[in-house]
Amino acid sequence: MSEYILIIEDDSALASGLCRALTLKERTVENCSKIMEARRITEERLPDMIILDVNLPDGSGYDFLAEFREKSDTPVILLTANDMEADIVAGLELGADDYITKPFSLAVLRARVNAQLRKKQCRQHQAETYMGKYRFYFDKMKFFIGDRTVELSKTEQKLLRILTDNEGITVSRNELVDRIWTDGAEYVDENALSVTVKRLRDKLEAHKYIKTVYGVGYMWVKNHE
C-alpha cells in the first residue's frame, strides 16, 4: 500500500520543494497551507506522516499537534525557524517525533522522514494484537470482540496496552498508576485504577482474562481458554 505524507506549510515554494524531494513511486505527498484544511484532510484520510510548520496563517502548529495527538500517534516532524531550546522542548512534549529548524538540508529531512516511517512500521506491527476472540489495533485506536467494535477511553486503552504487552505477568498497581497517569498530576485517587479496571473488564467482557492478583496488581491471563 502506498505511503501518504501530508505537509502543512504555507510557504508555497518550500512546500513544492518538499513534495518533489519526498515523492516516490509508492509514496504520495500532499500539501496544505492552513490548519482548517489539515483538519479536513486528516478526517478523510489519516496520513502515514505529517510534516508540520509551527507558524501557520490560521493558527499555531503546536495547537494543531496537541489536537491531532488526541486521535492519532502518526509520526509528526515539526518545521520551524525557531531554534530556541524552549520551543524545541515544547514541540517534543506535545508529541512531535522530530523537530527540524529552517534552513535545513533536504537530504537530512529525507533521512529523518524515512527513519520515522520505519519506526512507524515497527510500531504498527507491534500494535496489532490478536488474543482469542479479541482484536486490538492500538495505533488506530480500534478494538473488537469478534466483529463487534468496542469504544475505549484513552485511559482504558493505556491500561489494556500495558496488560496485553505483559500477558501472563502481574503488573503492580503502582507501576500501572505511574504509566497510565503520566500527565504530571501530583495526586491520583487510589480508586481511579480500580474503576478503570472494572470499566475495561465490563466493556471487553474480560472478567476471565483480566485477573486481580490481590495485594499486588493485575494480569492479562496467558492462553486463557
Side-chain angles (χ1 to χ4, degrees):
M1 185 176 178
S2 176
E3 292 175 340
Y4 171 47
I5 296 176
L6 176 63
I7 298 171
I8 309 172
E9 168 62 67
D10 64 322
D11 181 327
S12 58
L14 175 58
S16 294
L18 291 174
C19 287
R20 287 194 302 271
L22 295 174
T23 298
L24 299 172
K25 183 179 179 181
E26 296 185 354
R27 177 189 294 164
T28 302
V29 183
E30 182 178 4
N31 171 242
C32 67
S33 60
K34 294 183 179 179
I35 291 174
M36 182 174 63
E37 294 176 76
R39 287 194 185 107
R40 176 185 58 78
I41 292 170
T42 55
E43 285 296 328
E44 293 175 358
R45 180 182 179 184
L46 192 63
D48 293 295
M49 168 172 286
I50 290 177
I51 298 175
L52 173 63
D53 186 21
V54 167
N55 298 306
L56 294 163
D58 58 341
S60 164
Y62 290 133
D63 292 339
F64 175 79
L65 174 59
E67 174 188 318
F68 183 73
R69 274 290 171 258
E70 290 294 317
K71 63 181 181 180
S72 176
D73 63 354
T74 288
V76 176
I77 295 178
L78 291 180
L79 296 181
T80 181
N82 301 325
D83 60 358
M84 297 294 291
E85 182 178 289
D87 293 321
I88 296 173
V89 170
L92 294 174
E93 288 189 341
L94 284 170
D97 296 271
D98 205 347
Y99 194 110
I100 299 179
T101 56
K102 303 174 185 177
F104 54 85
S105 158
L106 285 177
V108 170
L109 177 64
R110 275 196 297 265
R112 291 190 174 186
V113 165
N114 291 335
Q116 291 299 331
L117 287 171
R118 285 194 299 272
K119 288 180 183 178
K120 179 181 184 293
Q121 289 173 353
C122 182
R123 286 199 306 267
Q124 188 170 22
H125 176 71
Q126 295 172 341
E128 297 179 2
T129 302
Y130 301 86
M131 310 184 90
K133 63 182 178 179
Y134 299 108
R135 288 181 292 133
F136 303 139
Y137 302 93
F138 290 98
D139 61 326
K140 299 174 184 176
M141 292 186 271
K142 295 188 184 230
F143 307 90
F144 297 88
I145 303 175
D147 294 326
R148 178 163 59 87
T149 302
V150 180
E151 296 293 331
L152 299 180
S153 70
K154 288 182 70 176
T155 302
E156 291 159 358
Q157 291 176 37
K158 288 181 181 179
L159 172 60
L160 178 62
R161 184 64 184 268
I162 296 168
L163 291 177
T164 54
D165 280 352
N166 293 277
E167 182 185 13
I169 299 170
T170 301
V171 185
S172 73
R173 288 182 61 90
N174 286 342
E175 181 178 352
L176 287 169
V177 169
D178 287 343
R179 292 177 62 182
I180 294 170
W181 286 275
T182 55
D183 57 1
E186 293 184 3
Y187 175 75
V188 176
D189 189 306
E190 63 179 15
N191 195 43
L193 179 58
S194 299
V195 170
T196 304
V197 169
K198 182 181 187 309
R199 286 177 179 163
L200 184 62
R201 275 182 177 142
D202 291 344
K203 287 184 178 182
L204 293 178
E205 301 168 3
H207 298 81
K208 295 180 180 179
Y209 290 83
I210 301 175
K211 176 183 176 183
T212 300
V213 181
Y214 291 99
V216 183
Y218 300 94
M219 174 199 298
W220 186 279
V221 177
K222 191 169 187 178
N223 298 324
H224 183 89
E225 297 296 333

